Amino acid sequence: MSRSAHPAGPRHADVLPEGHYAAPPTDLNVLDPKVWSQTVARTADGGTTVGGIEVARLAEEFGTPAYFLDEADFRARCAAWRDAFGPDADVFYAGKAFLSRAVVRWLHEEGLNLDVCSGGELATALAAGMPAERIALHGNNKSEEEIERAVAAGVGRIVLDSFQEIVRVAHIADRLGKRQRVQIRVTVGVEAHTHEFIATAHEDQKFGIALAGGQAAEAVRRALKLDGLELIGIHSHIGSQIFDMAGFEVAARRVVGLLAEVRDEHGVELPEIDLGGGLGIAYTSDDDPREPHEIAKALNEIVARECEAAKLRTPRISVEPGRAIVGPTAFTLYTVGTVKPLDGLRTYVSVDGGMSDNIRTALYDAEYTVALVSRRSDAEPVLVRVVGKHCESGDIVVKDAFLPADVAPGDLIAVPATGAYCRSMASNYNHALRPPVVAVRDGEARVIVRRETEEDLLRLDVG
Ligand SMILES: *Cc1c(COP(=O)(O)O)cnc(C)c1O
């Protein structure tokens, strides 16, 4: 990401600290459609709406902090992925990004499949009526109980992550009198991050079975021998928040290489490959994500080319976007509690949530932006850090962004692109009550995950 200290600009230029942040936008009242969900708009009187409803009204009805999820945008993104890949491929939404019963129903209605990676996610998927054959079970250490529930339910595939698991799943399937469709997750020797991929030190992580050293080929050998398993393909997931297709290209080439090896050794052409998820989104105006149709075109071309070279039938492709579907569809709405200008540094704006509703900034140094959404302001931009109310100095929601200098207690500010890995990673630190998720669509708002209450907290505390 090319960031530079903001050049000489508004009055504060002389006191801006060195740092990595984008220059202030020319007009803080404009919301960049790249980072805000589709139906977010500013109103003539300076407010902001989502799904046709004023955020001030939403704050009054549902309180803050709260996540507001733009249902129309979510469905549109599902449809875009589904249509981009077409009927000869499968799109699996990665449930870990954000999962609730309503979301499962939307996915079902929009024709997507669903990845789960725990018993809890599986239970949610099944409770909301996702057909089991459209569910894939992931995870590097699935419990016997989780495997058993998945096999018994009839999930469409289990992605095997270790040698022990090959045997474990086969035994459980045998015991239940089933033949379980499985893929083997391989590590292809590429780890992709935001703007580059790393072709070394990749196997030094907990997921998958290495292609290197013939490990993956050995896993295939073992899986093909077991009656309880129907090996349908190879799986690869190379990282997250990826913008560059080069990492996928290397991954696809290596996975197809394994398919060719398997054909040569066993006379079997495995019918599917899964290229994982990890496609990036715009957290700030500096990010330029690709559209699903560009991604589909690139992946299809890469796989077709590699298969042609290896004289293999092109396998059915699947992909697993999580963040790219739900990430941009939600924002977190906060109420400003205190504003502390630190001379020569920046202004700290404290909100009524924090690392308990968005751990990504503390965990990954993630970048976000923020906007004043309850009113219009023409005050000059000041460099702010949006911080939470937790007892940690690392409790930062937005590290560097600009807000109008007159931002004040009681203002509503919103952080966009918080649909993925925010509510799903939320905690009760400091006995915070996890915020609700409110779905907004066509002038109607409805709670899909309710706010936690102190009663909820005390119910678990049985001492
Ligand atoms: C996390 C994960 C995904 C989704 O990643 P995103 O960055 O949300 O797209 C897909 N597949 C697997 C196996 C994952 O672990």
Side-chain angles (χ1 to χ4, degrees):
M1 223 161 287
S2 59
R3 294 287 168 101
S4 55
H6 136 46
R11 194 173 60 101
H12 288 62
D14 52 329
V15 294
L16 280 173
E18 283 298 305
H20 292 274
Y21 40 85
T26 42
D27 182 353
L28 290 178
N29 297 297
V30 174
L31 302 178
D32 183 351
K34 215 161 55 162
V35 295
W36 293 86
S37 73
Q38 266 173 24
T39 74
V40 167
R42 302 249 34 169
T43 59
D45 64 358
T48 306
T49 58
V50 57
I53 310 179
E54 277 276 354
V55 294
R57 226 188 82 202
L58 291 169
E60 227 167 83
E61 186 171 349
F62 302 102
T64 59
Y67 307 97
F68 292 96
L69 202 170
D70 189 335
E71 182 183 339
D73 193 11
F74 185 97
R75 288 179 181 271
R77 286 173 196 277
C78 288
W81 278 87
R82 179 196 66 211
D83 296 344
F85 280 86
D88 298 325
D90 299 298
V91 179
F92 284 77
Y93 168 76
K96 70 180 199 259
F98 174 64
L99 199 65
S100 77
R101 284 197 274 213
V103 161
V104 175
R105 285 194 298 270
W106 302 341
L107 292 166
H108 188 188
E109 286 163 17
E110 300 299 336
L112 263 63
N113 307 285
L114 176 60
D115 271 357
V116 298
C117 57
S118 70
E121 289 182 4
L122 177 61
T124 303
L126 293 172
M130 179 60 89
E133 65 272 16
R134 281 168 51 191
I135 299 174
L137 177 65
H138 276 270
N140 68 301
N141 187 17
K142 311 165 187 77
S143 70
E144 297 234 352
E145 201 224 335
E146 286 169 329
I147 295 168
E148 192 166 322
R149 277 164 65 193
V151 174
V155 298
R157 62 171 73 153
I158 294 181
V159 181
L160 302 173
D161 197 275
S162 65
F163 283 102
Q164 286 93 352
E165 208 170 75
I166 294 173
V167 178
R168 213 170 274 162
V169 173
H171 282 171
I172 290 170
D174 276 342
R175 179 149 45 78
L176 297 177
K178 299 216 179 200
R179 188 142 188 264
Q180 178 61 48
R181 289 159 58 86
V182 295
Q183 292 188 337
I184 292 173
R185 176 162 174 176
V186 302
T187 44
V188 293
V190 172
E191 196 180 347
H193 295 289
T194 314
H195 285 275
E196 76 280 351
F197 65 91
I198 307 165
T200 55
H202 38 267
E203 270 110 18
D204 192 2
Q205 47 105 345
K206 70 175 185 172
F207 291 110
I209 299 177
L211 272 181
Q215 299 269 305
E218 176 59 18
V220 169
R221 217 167 277 137
R222 294 190 194 178
L224 285 173
K225 279 198 194 114
L226 294 165
D227 291 337
L229 305 181
E230 179 188 350
L231 180 62
I232 57 167
I234 302 297
H235 180 285
S236 152
H237 172 72
I238 56 172
S240 302
Q241 187 61 358
I242 306 165
F243 292 97
D244 187 342
M245 297 305 285
F248 286 102
E249 179 147 11
V250 178
R253 189 175 315 133
R254 296 186 182 171
V255 167
V256 171
L258 177 61
L259 293 187
E261 262 183 66
V262 170
R263 181 221 25 222
D264 295 345
E265 183 179 341
H266 306 281
V268 176
E269 289 198 25
L270 298 178
E272 294 187 13
I273 65 175
D274 188 313
L275 293 171
L279 287 314
I281 64 165
Y283 284 104
T284 74
S285 295
D286 285 356
D287 295 325
D288 287 306
R290 293 180 179 234
E291 295 294 324
H293 68 266
E294 296 175 80
I295 294 161
K297 185 165 178 284
L299 292 183
N300 284 328
E301 280 174 8
I302 294 166
V303 173
R305 185 176 355 107
E306 295 302 324
C307 286
E308 200 179 328
K311 297 196 165 52
L312 281 165
R313 269 196 308 277
T314 305
R316 189 175 177 88
I317 297 177
S318 47
V319 287
E320 307 176 316
R323 171 195 329 262
I325 290 178
V326 72
T329 67
F331 61 81
T332 316
L333 190 63
Y334 299 104
T335 303
V336 172
T338 68
V339 176
K340 252 185 222 176
L342 300 190
D343 239 10
L345 290 170
R346 68 189 87 243
T347 296
Y348 278 79
V349 175
S350 294
V351 295
D352 47 356
M355 64 194 295
S356 55
D357 57 72
N358 186 348
I359 190 68
R360 293 190 66 258
T361 306
L363 193 59
Y364 311 125
D365 225 0
E367 289 180 10
Y368 285 95
T369 184
V370 63
L372 172 61
V373 289
S374 49
R375 64 185 170 88
R376 192 186 160 82
S377 167
D378 293 313
E380 77 211 30
V382 287
L383 181 65
V384 300
R385 181 159 286 175
V386 178
V387 296
K389 58 181 290 169
H390 296 285
C391 305
E392 299 281 333
S393 50
D395 172 24
I396 296 167
V397 179
V398 185
K399 201 164 162 208
D400 295 301
F402 290 86
L403 281 172
D406 63 353
V407 63
D411 278 334
L412 295 174
I413 63 175
V415 175
T418 58
Y421 307 108
C422 286
R423 182 58 180 80
S424 68
M425 286 186 169
S427 78
N428 290 119
Y429 182 44
N430 292 137
H431 282 203
L433 304 171
R434 285 178 295 177
V437 181
V438 180
V440 185
R441 184 187 179 188
D442 296 338
E444 276 177 38
R446 136 181 107 89
V447 175
I448 59 171
V449 178
R450 72 161 168 79
R451 187 184 300 284
E452 259 175 342
T453 63
E454 287 175 2
E455 231 171 63
D456 291 327
L457 293 183
L458 288 167
R459 196 173 297 141
L460 298 178
D461 184 336
V462 295

